[in-house]
Amino acid sequence: RPQAMRWIVGSWLAVLTLVGAPPPVAAEEQEQLICTAVARVWRGSPEEIADIHTDPVPQSFRAPFESTGCGRFHLVVRSLLDWHFAFGDEQTTSAALAYFSSRWDQEPLAPERYAADLDKAWREAQPRYAEADRLAQANDWQAANELFYKDRKIQALERQIGLGSTRATLMHYYLRGADAYRSPALLAKAEALWPVVEARNAFFDRHAETIATLQRNKPHDPRLELVDAESLLLPYSLANARYRIHDVEFDRDTLRKAVLGDWLAGAEQVDDFVWMEIEEESIDETYLTDLAAAIEREPNFMRLPTKLWREDVLYDFARASKSPGDRCKAGNFDEAMILLEREERQGRDLAEPLGYWGGYFPEHERDTRLELLLAKAGCDLSHARQARETGEPETENDHLEAALSTLDSARQLVQPDEAPSRFRSVAASYLETAARCRKLAATSVDGRPFINCHFAISPRLEAYFRTSLAALDTIATAATAPQ
């Protein structure tokens, strides 16, 4: 493909990878819109943090997001959601999600109508794509670009694809909120979007081979490149959230196979790779042939197993917590933690000096490790409550001790200045668990099992948590501490 064509396509793909699916752009706006820059993660100022409940979507975010120029393409949209997880709560996060919905979900879509409109736009765009490809093959890339970026038939198809893609992004955001707060209300919002997203995914599945060919000329959707593994795993994520929030059972193994398709063989070899002391570039020198083939086909393939294992681990801990007597174990938990830490480290190495590379944001991998540790601690605390209700103090002791150890590991991944809301949940859970442990130990009498979980309590860590919790609002808003 000519160099000029690769440069334009690469610029758009980098923007889509870093920013996510933006709202559809009218054809007349797209004619002159070619943006190249490192995407910017929006952080929010201390003053905006202080006002997060009254102004959950500050103007400093709205301005670039609502821009019709290049500003919105330089903005990492999901950073608003990350900001609320770090500094807000379910109320503020719901308000931010409602803002996204008001911008992306303005046009009502019926799944059947949407699928028909997609197919119609697809049929009408094919001759224009064929002509653009012919021009590109003849090295007339200026004329090819004119078609790729200005033709009304191509723009009509991309608009239809954009309508579904923004719903997929919004659905993923709602699922993240539902997971973070165990919120039935946010889960219901995600479920309402699924029929349209499912119709969109079915469209891509029907035309996968042809779209893959066109993708070499102009990117239609990041899902096809697997840089957005969340979209591929959305059916699993939705079923998993329903299970954890509403206890709705599903066949996990069957759904995993259906979702992964021919990526499954490669994904199943990642657990062996994790324990090898080699770099990803050396996989083709091992027996991991399926994994090597997957990475050759998709350079960002390793993002898929990290997202897959997150779902697997959350499911396993949820199932274990609902089954009295089961140990709080999850398949691939250790492997997931190792791989996430490796990717976080790699992301930080590549982050200098121009920003994160290829869609990797190190704090996201760290947040996922924290999420998995809290799921593990939650499982042990659930068993401890069950043991207390059934009068089994020794079992309660064991689970409280395990929870304290896990929470100690979790607090090393979150600092009060970086994510006070997450820090608060870890600190409060540790203090509550320590108090329960001391109460249990104090009631131990002769003839009852020996209770020793209080030896796992760190008084210095308790003091750190209490002191930090008392000053958390001051830290979060960078206010001057009282003299």
Side-chain angles (χ1 to χ4, degrees):
R1 192 62 58 202
Q3 180 63 32
M5 179 71 75
R6 285 203 305 269
W7 181 84
I8 293 176
V9 172
S11 300
W12 272 79
L13 183 57
V15 167
L16 286 171
T17 299
L18 287 168
V19 179
V25 185
E28 59 271 17
E29 294 179 25
Q30 287 185 322
E31 290 183 356
Q32 303 299 323
L33 187 61
I34 297 179
C35 307
T36 56
V38 175
R40 179 176 65 88
V41 177
W42 181 83
R43 301 289 186 185
S45 69
E47 294 77 16
E48 288 167 334
I49 292 170
D51 295 334
I52 192 170
H53 282 88
T54 57
D55 187 14
V57 187
Q59 181 60 28
S60 64
F61 180 88
R62 288 175 182 265
F65 181 76
E66 297 176 8
S67 168
T68 58
C70 285
R72 61 177 167 162
F73 291 106
H74 299 166
L75 175 69
V76 177
V77 173
R78 65 187 289 176
S79 58
L80 176 66
L81 199 57
D82 294 332
W83 185 66
H84 281 276
F85 290 146
F87 297 99
D89 53 25
E90 182 176 353
Q91 176 188 345
T92 69
T93 303
S94 298
L97 289 169
Y99 170 74
F100 283 135
S101 182
S102 70
R103 303 292 302 183
W104 286 345
D105 200 19
Q106 296 177 355
E107 183 176 338
L109 291 179
E112 301 80 6
R113 177 71 184 185
Y114 175 64
D117 287 345
L118 263 177
D119 283 329
K120 179 175 182 291
W122 172 262
R123 290 191 302 271
E124 293 181 353
Q126 293 318 294
R128 312 306 293 157
Y129 278 120
E131 174 63 13
D133 190 56
R134 185 190 67 77
L135 292 168
Q137 295 293 341
N139 288 335
D140 190 356
W141 53 82
Q142 180 174 353
N145 287 344
E146 287 288 316
L147 280 177
F148 275 130
Y149 292 99
K150 297 182 181 181
D151 184 81
R152 291 188 178 278
K153 297 295 185 183
I154 292 177
Q155 295 299 320
L157 173 60
E158 294 202 342
R159 180 178 180 279
Q160 290 298 326
I161 291 174
L163 290 173
S165 295
T166 52
R167 265 72 172 182
T169 299
L170 186 58
M171 180 181 171
H172 171 58
Y173 287 1
Y174 272 118
L175 282 176
R176 286 189 66 196
D179 278 335
Y181 306 111
R182 291 295 184 268
S183 170
L186 294 180
L187 175 57
K189 295 286 188 180
E191 290 176 316
L193 292 165
W194 173 239
V196 168
V197 176
E198 188 175 29
R200 161 198 181 264
N201 292 352
F203 167 81
F204 281 109
D205 290 339
R206 288 196 302 274
H207 303 292
E209 184 175 348
T210 305
I211 290 179
T213 300
L214 296 174
Q215 194 83 353
R216 292 197 293 268
N217 298 327
K218 184 173 188 289
H220 292 281
D221 188 275
R223 186 181 87 95
L224 300 175
E225 298 289 340
L226 265 192
V227 293
D228 185 12
E230 292 93 342
S231 289
L232 187 70
L233 294 171
L234 267 177
Y236 185 14
S237 301
L238 178 60
N240 211 355
R242 285 170 172 164
Y243 175 68
R244 296 197 302 276
I245 295 174
H246 293 309
D247 204 22
V248 177
E249 296 279 354
F250 70 102
D251 187 336
R252 191 260 297 267
D253 292 339
T254 298
L255 184 56
R256 284 173 89 255
K257 291 177 182 178
V259 166
L260 291 175
D262 57 2
W263 296 109
L264 179 60
E268 288 181 336
Q269 290 187 343
V270 176
D271 56 346
D272 287 345
F273 162 70
V274 166
W275 299 103
M276 296 179 177
E277 295 183 1
I278 61 173
E279 297 298 326
E280 189 175 309
E281 293 76 12
S282 302
I283 291 178
D284 57 359
E285 301 172 5
T286 72
Y287 64 91
L288 306 176
T289 55
D290 291 326
L291 178 56
I295 292 174
E296 175 67 21
R297 175 182 166 194
E298 172 47 61
N300 278 324
F301 175 77
M302 294 300 285
R303 289 183 61 77
L304 178 60
T306 60
K307 307 301 180 185
L308 173 67
W309 283 352
R310 171 192 178 271
E311 298 296 338
D312 288 346
V313 170
L314 292 178
Y315 175 86
D316 286 342
F317 281 137
R319 177 162 290 278
S321 69
K322 296 175 182 180
S323 305
D326 283 1
R327 298 179 64 191
C328 289
K329 295 288 186 180
N332 284 332
F333 172 76
D334 293 330
E335 291 85 352
M337 296 296 285
I338 292 170
L339 184 58
L340 285 163
E341 183 177 9
R342 184 182 300 181
E343 292 197 354
E344 178 187 341
R345 185 170 61 251
Q346 179 191 35
R348 294 196 185 284
D349 291 343
L350 293 171
E352 299 177 0
L354 296 177
Y356 301 127
W357 173 261
Y360 283 90
F361 294 88
E363 64 265 33
H364 292 163
E365 318 304 339
R366 184 185 59 207
D367 289 344
T368 301
R369 284 198 289 153
L370 176 62
E371 182 183 26
L372 299 187
L373 286 171
L374 292 179
K376 186 176 188 299
C379 179
D380 277 306
L381 291 173
S382 176
H383 280 297
R385 286 191 294 272
Q386 294 166 4
R388 181 164 66 249
E389 293 169 357
T390 56
E392 301 174 78
E394 188 172 24
T395 299
E396 181 183 1
N397 170 83
D398 292 343
H399 285 291
L400 289 174
E401 186 175 5
L404 286 169
S405 176
T406 302
L407 290 168
D408 192 354
S409 298
R411 62 97 179 186
Q412 298 177 45
L413 298 177
V414 60
Q415 301 302 321
D417 62 312
E418 294 176 335
S421 292
R422 288 191 177 97
F423 180 86
R424 188 189 304 276
S425 66
V426 174
S429 185
Y430 186 94
L431 293 174
E432 181 181 349
T433 303
R436 177 59 207 167
C437 181
R438 285 198 175 92
K439 182 177 180 180
L440 179 66
T443 59
S444 179
V445 295
D446 292 340
R448 295 185 64 186
F450 180 66
I451 304 301
N452 59 6
C453 65
H454 57 287
F455 292 120
I457 300 172
S458 168
R460 292 187 302 278
L461 184 54
E462 284 185 296
Y464 167 65
F465 279 147
R466 290 196 179 96
T467 302
S468 298
L469 286 175
L472 207 52
D473 291 340
T474 298
I475 295 171
T477 59
T480 302
Q483 300 298 320

